[in-house]
Amino acid sequence: IPRMASGMQEKQYAPSLLSFFIYNPKFGPREGEEEKKILFYHPIEIEKNEKIRNVGLCEAIVQFTRTFCPTKPAKSLHTQKNRQFFHEPEENYWMVMVVRNPMVEKPNKDGKPPTVEYQEEEIIDSVYGSVLKQCYSMYKLFNGTFSRAFEAGGVELLTQKLEKFFYRYLQTLHLQSCDLLDVFGGISFFPLDKMTYLKIQSFVNRVEESLSLVKYTAFLYNDQLIWSGLEQDDMQILYKYLTTSLFPRHTEPELAGRDSPLRPEVAGNLLHYGRFLTGPANLKDPEAKFRFPKIFVNTEDSYEELHLIVYKVRENVKDMMGMDDFTTLKLSTVQVLLTASV
């Protein structure tokens, strides 16, 4: 979407996603089988030969740069109009993201076509390279690794998983607002005094001891992390999902008026202390549907497949945990995450 500048004379265009694709060169090594390499391609309406040509160009760039440093192939390719980013998250699996550079459209006199100036320096490799890596991390959180899907059901299962996830996920990318925060994937922590922190830790320990199915627990307040039993890499990507997708999605119905059409979705799920954002829709109804997203953690080691349960507290937390000095945590601000074994 263009943004006017300089008295409505110039049009400024933010960076945008031109294409995004995933391929494996081992799946189509012979001439005439090039299409088999392509596991996912966005946008889908691109003609087949153009997809093959774009993937072949990326292969050539990667192979060419390997001649200079075999262990560190190309990470990005700069052109006047766009920037391409490459990422190999698993052996022979390549992800490519093509971003159109920001540009300014300046009108000309005498009815001539406007002059377009591309602002290549506005695109920072480290920022958008991190966005591409986050795409993989988010996929892996909910689907596991590419290779595990291929082992379980071949190329067909892998492409199904990629299509189902990325067609939705790519719509959530806001490339125009990416910044250095995307590079670090930081977590916002809530500062606490020692005694209150120990009380929360005690509460978490009691939960895990009394519920043997609970493998890991995380405790948040106002979207800020207080406690987590997950490894840092797993918590970072899970935190991003929670704060940018799950929590905002449930805030709107919660704030809606009593007569709002959004409200009925929440009503059956509200209990005295709070409600489940993922989990049982209604604990009092044995026939109620359960919504437990699967997540995959520790994929480098034990490869754990778990269910994600998120509970949002509504009442004052001190009533639940005896925190007489912790009266500030009130009304729908505390989120407790439980990951249970499958």
Side-chain angles (χ1 to χ4, degrees):
I1 299 174
R3 180 165 57 88
M4 298 298 183
S6 304
M8 303 295 288
Q9 292 182 351
E10 295 182 356
K11 292 181 181 178
Q12 295 186 355
Y13 294 83
S16 60
L17 182 66
L18 291 179
S19 61
F20 181 99
F21 49 94
I22 300 169
Y23 70 92
N24 187 323
K26 299 296 183 183
F27 291 166
R30 298 186 185 87
E31 189 174 346
E33 297 182 346
E34 291 85 359
E35 191 179 11
K36 293 180 180 179
K37 301 175 185 178
I38 306 172
L39 302 171
F40 174 81
Y41 201 105
H42 169 83
I44 191 173
E45 59 270 13
I46 297 296
E47 196 265 334
K48 182 181 76 172
N49 288 334
E50 185 176 347
K51 292 179 183 178
I52 293 172
R53 186 166 58 250
N54 291 338
V55 169
L57 176 61
C58 292
E59 275 192 272
I61 293 168
V62 168
Q63 287 302 115
F64 176 71
T65 55
R66 279 193 195 277
T67 60
F68 301 100
C69 186
T71 58
K72 291 183 179 180
K75 300 294 183 185
S76 67
L77 174 66
H78 297 209
T79 68
Q80 181 188 22
K81 295 182 179 181
N82 59 53
R83 189 79 54 90
Q84 296 187 31
F85 298 92
F86 313 103
H87 179 45
E88 186 185 21
E90 302 174 37
E91 188 176 5
N92 293 317
Y93 287 96
W94 284 90
M95 303 175 69
V96 181
M97 181 173 72
V98 184
V99 179
R100 189 194 65 189
N101 291 330
M103 63 182 187
V104 178
E105 199 175 80
K106 297 182 178 181
N108 285 320
K109 297 179 180 179
D110 305 325
K112 293 181 180 179
T115 302
V116 176
E117 293 182 0
Y118 290 93
Q119 300 175 314
E120 302 170 50
E121 68 283 352
E122 296 294 322
I123 298 289
I124 303 174
D125 280 3
S126 58
V127 170
Y128 290 89
S130 296
V131 170
L132 180 57
K133 291 176 181 178
Q134 284 174 10
C135 289
Y136 172 72
S137 296
M138 196 68 76
Y139 169 88
K140 186 175 68 170
L141 178 67
F142 292 103
N143 296 276
T145 60
F146 295 160
S147 54
R148 183 63 69 99
F150 177 72
E151 291 166 6
V155 174
E156 184 177 357
L157 178 63
L158 176 56
T159 54
Q160 286 175 1
K161 285 179 171 288
L162 293 173
E163 289 171 4
K164 183 178 179 181
F165 178 81
F166 281 110
Y167 277 136
R168 293 180 60 186
Y169 182 74
L170 293 178
Q171 296 174 25
T172 69
L173 290 183
H174 302 290
L175 297 181
Q176 70 277 11
S177 56
C178 294
D179 53 30
L180 287 175
L181 293 177
D182 292 288
V183 176
F184 300 109
I187 295 174
S188 178
F189 287 89
F190 186 75
L192 283 178
D193 62 87
K194 187 183 298 183
M195 286 306 299
T196 305
Y197 181 82
L198 289 175
K199 288 179 180 180
I200 290 179
Q201 188 176 17
S202 174
F203 166 73
V204 169
N205 290 339
R206 293 209 309 268
V207 169
E208 294 183 348
E209 286 175 8
S210 59
L211 301 171
S212 59
L213 280 175
V214 175
K215 192 69 181 290
Y216 303 103
T217 306
F219 193 105
L220 296 91
Y221 166 62
N222 265 358
D223 295 357
Q224 292 179 292
L225 186 65
I226 294 177
W227 166 267
S228 171
L230 287 165
E231 292 292 331
Q232 182 175 316
D233 288 347
D234 291 323
M235 191 63 224
Q236 278 181 319
I237 196 66
L238 181 58
Y239 179 82
K240 182 174 179 63
Y241 163 71
L242 294 170
T243 56
T244 62
S245 180
L246 184 67
F247 294 162
R249 194 164 68 237
H250 286 81
T251 298
E252 187 177 352
E254 225 169 54
L255 297 177
R258 184 172 294 177
D259 300 326
S260 168
L262 291 171
R263 202 67 185 176
E265 299 175 14
V266 182
N269 200 7
L270 290 177
L271 301 174
H272 178 63
Y273 289 116
R275 68 191 185 92
F276 288 97
L277 303 190
T278 68
N282 190 343
L283 283 175
K284 296 179 180 180
D285 181 7
E287 302 298 322
K289 292 183 178 180
F290 283 61
R291 296 178 295 106
F292 295 127
K294 281 185 181 180
I295 62 170
F296 297 80
V297 299
N298 294 326
T299 52
E300 300 296 327
D301 303 313
S302 53
Y303 206 94
E304 296 176 281
E305 183 178 346
L306 306 169
H307 284 297
L308 176 66
I309 305 169
V310 182
Y311 186 78
K312 192 166 188 178
V313 176
R314 291 185 56 82
E315 291 295 319
N316 197 317
V317 176
K318 70 171 184 176
D319 297 332
M320 298 174 61
M321 292 180 282
M323 295 183 187
D324 295 331
D325 56 339
F326 197 26
T327 58
T328 56
L329 298 192
K330 295 180 181 179
L331 193 62
S332 67
T333 54
V334 175
Q335 300 100 2
V336 181
L337 279 66
L338 307 174
T339 53
S341 301
V342 173

